Amino acid sequence: MASSAAGGVVIVGSGLIGRSWAMLFASGGFKVKLYDIEQEQITNALENIRKELKMLEQSDSLKGSLSAEQQLSLISGCSNIAEAVEGAMHIQECVPENLDLKKKIFAQLDRIVDDRVILSSSTSCLMPSKLFAGLVHVKQCIVAHPVNPPYYVPLVELVPHPETAPATMDRTHALMKKIGQSPVRVLKEIDGFVLNRLQYAIISEAWRLVEEGVVTPCDLDLVMSDGLGMRYAFIGPLETMHLNAEGFLSYCDRYSEGMNRVLKTFGPVPEFSRATVEKVHQAMRMKVPDDPGHLAARRQWRDDCLMRLAKLKSQLQPQ
């Protein structure tokens, strides 16, 4: 548990993402203070974390080398923000996705932190230049965007403000690696970052294919889950190109003309109109009814699959 001696981690906001971050940092041996405005929310969050860690331990899926009890002993709640951030080396903000609310939190933190702590946001879509505008400690600010659910999906997008210090990026990258996540450096801010830009490109073409009657919604999902998704679980699109010919140059020589031709047939950005919304909605409801019980059960199944896939990936990592 030596890590905690170097300064602890503060999580601001005890919702789903905040709880996941708390568990991840505790798995790496860090002392974690979970801050929220109401004591009841903190109490509920700590109870939720306790259940989750015990369940993970029982299914042999607990991250890190410490037991569930040891990890739990590292996490404490705090409803006083000044007290919570004292001596912290990293603060991870996890409040709801609202620019004004997040800016208010960072302005508050800016007034009470020292020149060493890293101020990090979990935002999935707010630009660092808007989020951290006018802060005294802007050099210490960064976005560390996790992927839902963060405990099972290790990617973290690190997105700097134009004035973020290189050391802030380096320290956050090293910290994410230490807790077992897979950080990527987004070299400059862009709307949607990287993951959502790729995700929206897929959603956009998926929508057009369904809207134009090329494929049913369920078969469209099958193309991803039993096709592209299987190899993308291990290698990305660029390495796929490299391996699907005699190297990357060979792939481009062989297929660039065809790719160009097909890409030119892509339509405009969809309007996500009502008729197709209804069509996809009905297909999804047939597969998974949209009442809270069925959705929760399906999410649990998804998380179990991700947990098992994460285990498999760790066993199969090339040396």
Side-chain angles (χ1 to χ4, degrees):
M1 281 191 255
S3 313
S4 57
V9 173
V10 178
I11 310 294
V12 177
S14 62
L16 178 66
I17 299 296
R19 297 196 302 266
S20 288
W21 274 123
M23 288 162 57
L24 284 166
F25 284 115
S27 76
F30 290 94
K31 274 194 173 171
V32 180
K33 278 187 187 164
L34 190 58
Y35 165 78
D36 215 313
I37 44 175
E38 286 181 26
Q39 187 56 49
E40 192 187 354
Q41 287 173 290
I42 296 168
T43 307
N44 291 343
L46 291 173
E47 185 51 36
N48 191 288
I49 288 169
R50 169 177 291 281
K51 283 182 187 161
E52 192 98 2
L53 288 176
K54 291 288 186 188
M55 186 195 76
L56 288 162
E57 190 170 54
Q58 280 163 11
S59 63
D60 196 27
S61 304
L62 191 67
K63 287 176 182 265
S65 55
L66 303 174
S67 70
E69 276 303 327
Q70 287 172 316
Q71 291 186 30
L72 279 164
S73 72
L74 292 172
I75 306 171
S76 59
C78 188
S79 56
N80 180 316
I81 197 160
E83 202 181 297
V85 304
E86 201 178 328
M89 56 133 194
H90 183 94
I91 299 172
Q92 188 71 35
E93 167 276 312
C94 308
V95 303
E97 198 73 348
N98 174 299
L99 181 60
D100 290 338
L101 176 61
K102 286 184 187 281
K103 283 186 76 161
K104 192 176 153 191
I105 292 282
F106 280 106
Q108 198 178 359
L109 291 167
D110 197 38
R111 290 192 294 271
I112 58 175
V113 298
D114 60 27
D115 294 336
R116 295 184 300 275
V117 67
I118 284 170
L119 297 172
S120 175
S121 175
S122 301
T123 182
S124 59
C125 68
L126 299 173
M127 300 277 265
S129 55
K130 288 202 170 75
L131 202 50
F132 308 129
L135 296 183
V136 174
H137 296 91
V138 66
K139 287 183 164 59
Q140 297 154 236
C141 293
I142 195 165
V143 164
H145 168 225
V147 184
N148 198 19
Y151 199 86
Y152 307 118
V153 182
L155 185 82
V156 181
E157 294 183 287
L158 303 182
V159 192
H161 181 281
E163 294 176 58
T164 296
T168 299
M169 175 70 89
D170 292 344
R171 279 176 58 197
T172 310
H173 192 277
L175 180 63
M176 294 300 146
K177 295 278 281 187
K178 189 164 173 49
I179 62 171
Q181 297 304 86
S182 302
V184 296
R185 297 169 190 260
V186 180
L187 303 177
K188 57 182 181 182
E189 67 169 19
I190 184 170
D191 200 6
F193 310 152
V194 176
L195 181 133
N196 274 327
R197 290 181 77 89
L198 288 171
Q199 178 167 247
Y200 295 163
I202 292 167
I203 288 171
S204 179
E205 186 53 23
W207 195 272
R208 284 190 291 257
L209 289 166
V210 170
E211 192 161 62
E212 291 168 14
V214 174
V215 67
T216 66
C218 290
D219 278 354
L220 183 288
D221 274 359
L222 211 53
V223 169
M224 187 59 73
S225 63
D226 282 9
L228 288 174
M230 287 190 73
R231 64 183 174 209
Y232 286 170
F234 297 94
I235 59 173
L238 302 179
E239 189 181 348
T240 295
M241 292 164 75
H242 189 56
L243 297 181
N244 280 3
E246 282 67 56
F248 195 80
L249 292 177
S250 161
Y251 187 96
C252 290
D253 285 345
R254 200 181 295 180
Y255 300 115
S256 59
E257 198 180 316
M259 283 195 292
N260 216 282
R261 188 190 71 248
V262 172
L263 285 166
K264 282 177 179 167
T265 68
F266 280 31
V269 174
E271 293 293 321
F272 300 105
S273 68
R274 211 54 232 170
T276 310
V277 168
E278 204 45 52
K279 183 178 180 178
V280 177
H281 176 58
Q282 292 305 335
M284 292 302 104
R285 280 180 66 198
M286 289 288 288
K287 191 172 185 181
V288 185
D290 58 358
D291 60 276
H294 281 92
L295 289 172
R298 187 66 169 174
R299 284 189 201 108
Q300 185 61 56
W301 172 83
R302 174 202 67 187
D303 291 353
D304 290 345
C305 290
L306 287 169
M307 190 159 45
R308 290 161 75 177
L309 179 61
K311 269 190 193 172
L312 178 64
K313 278 176 68 95
S314 69
Q315 291 161 14
L316 297 176
Q317 282 302 329
Q319 298 305 311

